[in-house]
Amino acid sequence: MIFNPHIFARLRSSISVLAFAGMASLPAMAQTAQSADEANAGTEGEIIVQGAIITAQGESIAQKRNADNLIDISAADSVGRFPDQNSAAALSRLPAVAVQRDQGQERYIQVRGAPNRWTSVSIDGIPMIGADEGGLTRAYRFDAVPAVILSALAINKSLTPNIQAEAIVANIDLRTFSPLAGKAGFHVQGDVGYGLMELGNGEQRQGSIRVSYSDGTFGVVAGASHYRREQVTDNREVGRYDEPSNAADTQFGPTEIDIRNYRLVRENNGLFAGLEYSPAEGQKLYFKTIYTEFKDDEQRDQYEVRLDRALSGTRNLSGGDLVRVPITASFNLGNYRTRNYINTIGGDYEEDGWKVNFAANYTRTENTTFLPLVQASTPTATSPSVNYDFSRPNFPIVKLFQTVPGATAGSFVRGPALANFDQTTITAASAILIPIVQDVFTDSYTVKLDVAKELGDLTLTGGLLYADRDIGGFVFSTSNIVFLTPGALAGTGLSFNPASYITDTPWDTGFPSGLNFNYVDNTRMRADLDNILTTLQRQGRYNPANNVPPQNRFALTEKTLTGYGMAKFVFEGGQVIAGARVENFKLTNQGQAVANGIVVPLSSPQEYTDIFPSVNARFDVMDNLVFRVAGQRGIARPSFGEIRVSSTINDTTNPGTISGGNPQLRPEYTWGVDASLEYYIPGQGILSVAGFHRWVDNVLYSNTQDVGSNAFDSNGRDRSQYQLTSSFNGNSGELYGVEFNYQQQFTFLPSPLDGFGFQGNLTLLEGSFDTNQRQDIGFPGTSDTIVNASLYYEKYGLSVRASYQWRSDYLESLSIGTGGGVATGDEFRGGYTNVDVAIRYDITPNISLFADLNNLTDAKYTAFQGTPARPTEVEQIGRRYLAGIRFGF
């Protein structure tokens, strides 16, 4: 563990977040005898507490106390006591976890602020792969996994050899419910809730049910979950910013002002079932099946004020006056889908010191997008003139004027002010349809075997894993443009006019813009577009196969054969686990390049074998004080879209150019160390500090540079010196940080104040990597400060929890250019604060009422280019309110 002075400089200004928590724990620390007794009771699973929050907290802390590695765990009812609908939101409550949102909904998680590709995922110990955004990321989509199907969520921050090595900062294990692990008998548990979204007044609803039976020998469970919300998203964007070319340049600043409003219906659905059979103690056979899906039907109303296409005038970062500015409108009703089909059979055997675990799994993942986007513009001759005020960059104000002839022939000037934008001036003469599509399908077959033998204080464990994965699909494609002009539709008997879909309903928006808009009926427009495409296809004038060009497709297979061995030695006052994991990885990579209109098949296989050693040591300094230290090697592989061989090649320039994937990408490798000091205190509490350091080689980034290999050569043509726009491996980098965690119920306070408790964590991070052209580049996705805090009260059947989350600004993507671009061209995401409140009241031991109040800070999610003065996106979804009933029998 290596600490850096930058972290401690920030620590002095940030530690006040947990100051109250630390002071509150002092009386508890003084009760040393009681502390030791309660810590031991928690270790043995005999947790005597009151209330569901503290029970779940005690279970989680007991598991952490006895774990072989650095781990954080959230137990099932703790998940239920937070207002979380998916597993990403539930995970974000744990130490050093940040969340990435899409239109306000939690989607990806980042452990220790690291890029999300550095975190691997498993379900019940079976490795899973992520496939999203046309295969351009391997990050796992947690918004497709409802939290209700889980019994626990575990974040392994240090690895042991029996955990997959494809994890640079952490492995997340999502653990599903086991009927034999629960109470015997027949049980039903569920909830029903209904609420509203503040922005747009749309509904949200949820429901879940889980039915289980166990008699100690046979267990069965089945369940379902549903969450749906109708949401309005306010959005403002700026495509990019021009730089001044000289001191007299008056044509720089924002290139467009993009005013958007989304109406969407999102659903998370899940079905799950399991059978377990235990003929004797220590023996179990099981079968589990899980289906999860994420559905998003999204209506877009968008108007781009194209400042950079003005006939004349001036613009800069404070404002502008421009003559004859075209306005482009975009509309669509798009469909996003993510589905997981997870099926596992397995067995456990334990006798005479032997433990054998076997599992076989088949998982299919489907990630699809269809966005039939209509675009149309104002006619050049009648486009309005524009004055814009950029003094509040997040909320630029636009004023429109007529464009009238000037004093000289052929010139135009700004005329009288317009009260508003006339949406009917978006004409059919410029209308086009772009069928934007992306699909990724994966089929994964995994078999794993683990065998352990206890030999007194020594336990030897070994295992095998074989994974065979087929991945096919294509990155986002926008190539098959369909013209909707009157001439293009001649002979179909159909017509298309964007103005005919304008409704009398004004936008639901809280963002000022200077302009008012009415919604377009995207549902009716989509139905008409489907009819137009069907007619054109029947006439041979539209071919949906052309929606995806050959250079966007990819077909890969990954075959991984893994063996590991480790030894666990327990001694008085601690234990040590050491061993290694050996992985042989084979990749077939097939695709097509389009070179000057000619399709050329290409293939670029890879095969390599790696060894991943690790060591984890735990020292019980006292009954209630634990010190851990760990070291490991890990790996993160490129995404399917990044490493694809498919590409577009231009041989007519000098040098030639290529855009697409980069089949020569190498995995990112890391060496890492971790250390933690954990103090277990009464009230099922913990006070801990942990530090980590990761050294990373071959860091991935985007750029344009020489190909440097023969991967794209064909027909005797050498393309090794062509300029390739793609992903590349940089040089070395390092990520390091320190985490503070405090949890405790304040049992030392007099009644009724002893029902209060606190959970909080603070993470401080630093890190950067180098390329040949640029040094000290921040890792995308890494906030330097992450805070999670919850104050709760639980007594007399009442449970109230207020939760606070904050993360600082973070780099999202590097600009394309020399060595990843310059810092002013990089795009960042702004920090944000979220406050949620969850209220539960037990009417009876079996029935409770709940109310969830989400995003009470009404957070605005922002992005900016280089500096907050250059925002590229501002988004808001409003507060959310949900109430209902939970039951369990």
Side-chain angles (χ1 to χ4, degrees):
M1 177 180 61
I2 295 179
F3 297 102
N4 186 281
H6 295 294
I7 287 183
F8 285 99
R10 294 208 324 278
L11 173 60
R12 288 192 295 269
S13 61
S14 302
I15 197 65
S16 59
V17 176
L18 296 180
F20 170 74
M23 293 175 64
S25 67
L26 291 177
M29 294 180 186
Q31 305 172 28
T32 54
Q34 179 184 359
S35 175
D37 292 341
E38 294 196 22
N40 288 335
T43 298
E44 296 168 4
E46 300 173 359
I47 306 171
I48 304 174
V49 294
Q50 53 184 350
I53 292 178
I54 191 63
T55 300
Q57 180 175 304
E59 292 172 354
S60 300
I61 290 176
Q63 292 181 58
K64 179 181 177 69
R65 170 69 175 80
N66 290 319
D68 292 331
N69 58 334
L70 276 79
I71 191 171
D72 287 302
I73 297 174
S74 181
D77 202 71
S78 178
V79 174
R81 294 280 157 162
F82 283 113
D84 301 326
Q85 281 78 37
N86 65 53
S87 52
L91 283 162
S92 70
R93 311 291 176 178
L94 293 173
V97 175
V99 67
Q100 286 180 261
R101 289 175 165 85
D102 175 69
Q103 300 206 34
Q105 187 169 15
E106 299 85 353
R107 172 163 295 178
Y108 303 118
I109 64 100
Q110 296 167 281
V111 180
R112 291 170 165 172
N116 51 35
R117 66 180 184 272
W118 287 3
T119 298
S120 65
V121 177
S122 57
I123 296 181
D124 293 327
I126 302 294
M128 298 285 146
I129 58 172
D132 193 19
E133 299 180 0
L136 290 175
T137 174
R138 292 176 78 106
Y140 197 79
R141 286 199 45 168
F142 291 91
D143 57 0
V145 182
V148 70
I149 74 172
L150 305 174
S151 66
L153 308 94
I155 300 182
N156 296 286
K157 294 180 178 177
S158 68
L159 304 181
T160 50
N162 58 330
I163 298 175
Q164 59 179 310
E166 196 168 348
I168 285 183
V169 293
N171 165 265
I172 296 175
D173 190 30
L174 305 178
R175 302 173 181 176
T176 60
F177 179 80
S178 167
L180 286 178
K183 295 180 179 179
F186 179 80
H187 299 280
V188 179
Q189 180 175 321
D191 66 82
V192 178
Y194 183 84
L196 296 175
M197 308 289 294
E198 182 183 56
L199 183 59
N201 204 36
E203 71 169 15
Q204 62 170 334
R205 67 192 189 207
Q206 75 174 43
S208 70
I209 188 166
R210 185 178 71 203
V211 181
S212 64
Y213 171 80
S214 170
D215 61 5
T217 300
F218 176 78
V220 60
V221 62
S225 68
H226 169 73
Y227 173 70
R228 182 181 188 271
R229 71 195 204 190
E230 298 176 1
Q231 173 181 320
V232 168
T233 302
D234 252 336
N235 183 281
R236 300 293 181 268
E237 296 193 15
V238 172
R240 62 181 176 83
Y241 291 85
D242 285 339
E243 301 291 338
S245 58
N246 55 61
D249 190 358
T250 59
Q251 294 296 322
F252 70 95
T255 59
E256 65 184 58
I257 295 175
D258 192 342
I259 304 169
R260 304 187 188 192
N261 190 276
Y262 296 92
R263 290 169 294 163
L264 48 119
V265 177
R266 286 192 166 181
E267 289 189 17
N268 295 82
N269 298 306
L271 296 170
F272 54 98
L275 295 172
E276 296 181 343
Y277 174 61
S278 178
E281 185 177 355
Q283 301 176 23
K284 185 173 73 172
L285 298 173
Y286 61 86
F287 167 73
K288 295 183 178 182
T289 183
I290 301 170
Y291 168 76
T292 72
E293 72 171 357
F294 168 82
K295 298 170 62 177
D296 183 0
D297 295 321
E298 179 178 292
Q299 298 187 56
R300 175 202 305 230
D301 285 39
Q302 174 183 355
Y303 296 88
E304 300 173 62
V305 184
R306 301 305 303 263
L307 306 176
D308 58 339
R309 298 184 183 180
L311 176 66
S312 61
T314 62
R315 61 183 171 92
N316 54 46
L317 286 174
S318 61
D321 285 289
L322 300 164
V323 175
R324 206 167 74 177
V325 179
I327 296 179
T328 299
S330 299
F331 311 108
N332 79 285
L333 170 56
N335 310 116
Y336 301 84
R337 300 289 186 268
T338 299
R339 297 183 176 93
N340 296 304
Y341 305 83
I342 305 167
N343 302 278
T344 306
I345 60 172
D348 304 323
Y349 175 83
E350 183 175 350
E351 187 175 12
D352 295 332
W354 285 95
K355 292 182 180 180
V356 180
N357 308 103
F358 166 80
N361 172 269
Y362 166 69
T363 295
R364 178 172 174 82
T365 300
E366 301 175 354
N367 182 267
T368 63
T369 302
F370 181 47
L371 304 177
L373 185 69
V374 170
Q375 288 190 336
S377 300
T378 55
T380 300
T382 59
S383 291
S385 294
V386 170
N387 169 273
Y388 73 91
D389 180 359
F390 216 67
S391 57
R392 295 176 63 200
N394 284 352
F395 303 107
I397 301 299
V398 176
K399 295 180 180 179
L400 300 183
F401 302 83
Q402 294 181 23
T403 300
V404 299
T408 60
S411 66
F412 294 88
V413 296
R414 190 175 80 180
L418 296 171
N420 203 12
F421 175 61
D422 183 358
Q423 292 172 256
T424 64
T425 60
I426 301 296
T427 66
S430 61
I432 60 172
L433 171 64
I434 309 172
I436 302 174
V437 290
Q438 73 84 24
D439 287 349
V440 183
F441 301 95
T442 73
D443 290 284
S444 301
Y445 302 86
T446 305
V447 179
K448 67 188 296 284
L449 174 69
D450 302 277
V451 180
K453 173 62 175 175
E454 293 184 6
L455 303 169
D457 293 332
L458 180 67
T459 301
L460 300 178
T461 305
L464 296 170
L465 181 145
Y466 177 73
D468 189 330
R469 299 165 173 166
D470 291 320
I471 306 105
F474 46 87
V475 297
F476 275 100
S477 303
T478 59
S479 60
N480 197 11
I481 297 176
V482 179
F483 290 93
L484 301 174
T485 61
L489 296 180
T492 64
L494 303 172
S495 63
F496 181 82
N497 181 8
S500 67
Y501 300 95
I502 299 170
T503 71
D504 295 328
T505 305
W507 279 12
D508 286 308
T509 176
F511 283 179
S513 64
L515 302 176
N516 298 313
F517 299 94
N518 285 351
Y519 282 117
V520 163
D521 188 345
N522 281 293
T523 302
R524 183 166 62 90
M525 182 186 292
R526 169 69 182 272
D528 290 345
L529 291 172
D530 289 344
N531 187 32
I532 289 173
L533 291 179
T534 299
T535 301
L536 292 175
Q537 184 177 358
R538 186 172 58 247
Q539 295 179 352
R541 299 161 63 182
Y542 166 69
N543 184 359
N546 294 333
N547 289 349
V548 184
Q551 62 269 28
N552 284 35
R553 296 185 179 274
F554 54 82
L556 302 95
T557 62
E558 296 181 345
K559 299 181 187 295
T560 306
L561 179 61
T562 301
Y564 78 88
M566 66 180 188
K568 175 181 177 180
F569 178 64
V570 179
F571 53 88
E572 184 177 356
Q575 66 177 43
V576 175
I577 296 177
R581 188 177 183 90
V582 180
E583 292 190 353
N584 175 260
F585 179 81
K586 293 182 180 180
L587 173 71
T588 63
N589 185 358
Q590 297 178 329
Q592 296 173 313
V594 177
N596 308 309
I598 300 174
V599 177
V600 179
L602 295 175
S603 178
S604 183
Q606 292 186 15
E607 181 176 1
Y608 47 87
T609 299
D610 291 306
I611 300 177
F612 301 99
S614 65
V615 60
N616 283 263
R618 187 186 77 203
F619 302 96
D620 300 322
V621 181
M622 296 186 295
D623 287 339
N624 53 354
L625 184 64
V626 175
F627 174 71
R628 302 179 191 268
V629 64
Q632 65 188 44
R633 186 174 188 248
I635 186 175
R637 295 187 173 93
S639 70
F640 319 119
E642 287 177 312
I643 204 170
R644 75 186 193 277
V645 73
S646 303
S647 56
T648 300
I649 300 174
N650 185 353
D651 292 319
T652 63
T653 60
N654 187 19
T657 60
I658 304 175
S659 62
N662 182 358
Q664 299 303 303
L665 285 177
R666 302 183 303 279
E668 298 169 293
Y669 289 99
T670 181
W671 287 96
V673 293
D674 297 80
S676 71
L677 190 63
E678 304 160 3
Y679 185 67
Y680 295 86
I681 51 182
Q684 304 305 325
I686 183 174
L687 182 64
S688 66
V689 58
F692 73 96
H693 199 129
R694 296 290 185 269
W695 293 267
V696 188
D697 292 324
N698 304 331
V699 178
L700 292 171
Y701 71 102
S702 299
N703 198 21
T704 299
Q705 62 190 54
D706 289 349
V707 172
S709 73
N710 62 357
F712 299 99
D713 293 356
S714 63
N715 300 324
R717 186 184 291 269
D718 179 5
R719 297 189 175 103
S720 61
Q721 300 303 310
Y722 280 24
Q723 291 290 292
L724 172 63
T725 300
S726 187
S727 296
F728 294 88
N729 290 111
N731 299 326
S732 60
E734 55 183 341
L735 179 70
Y736 46 88
V738 59
E739 307 165 12
F740 300 89
N741 180 32
Y742 169 63
Q743 301 180 33
Q744 186 182 22
Q745 184 182 24
F746 302 149
T747 54
F748 51 84
L749 295 177
S751 181
L753 300 180
D754 57 348
F756 279 104
F758 179 83
Q759 296 180 357
N761 51 79
L762 166 69
T763 304
L764 305 176
L765 301 164
E766 294 283 353
S768 64
F769 71 97
D770 298 335
T771 70
N772 290 334
Q773 298 84 16
R774 183 175 165 190
Q775 285 72 48
D776 296 324
I777 306 170
F779 286 109
T782 304
S783 293
D784 60 13
T785 306
I786 303 168
V787 177
N788 289 291
S790 295
L791 181 66
Y792 64 85
Y793 183 83
E794 190 168 67
K795 200 167 185 178
Y796 310 120
L798 176 66
S799 172
V800 181
R801 182 194 294 266
S803 302
Y804 169 91
Q805 294 180 317
W806 178 77
R807 67 179 300 184
S808 59
D809 299 350
Y810 61 93
L811 175 67
E812 182 172 59
S813 61
L814 300 174
S815 60
I816 298 294
T818 303
V822 295
T824 56
D826 296 341
E827 186 167 35
F828 294 80
R829 284 281 166 181
Y832 56 81
T833 300
N834 277 90
V835 173
D836 304 321
V837 172
I839 305 171
R840 308 286 186 265
Y841 181 71
D842 296 331
I843 300 176
T844 72
N846 303 110
I847 300 176
S848 63
L849 302 177
F850 71 86
D852 294 334
L853 316 176
N854 291 74
N855 189 28
L856 295 182
T857 52
D858 200 14
K860 297 177 179 65
Y861 306 105
T862 62
F864 54 87
Q865 183 180 309
T867 168
R870 298 184 175 196
T872 55
E873 182 179 14
V874 181
E875 190 170 78
Q876 185 177 35
I877 68 165
R879 300 174 181 89
R880 313 195 308 271
Y881 309 105
L882 183 76
I885 186 170
R886 300 181 75 194
F887 54 88
F889 301 94

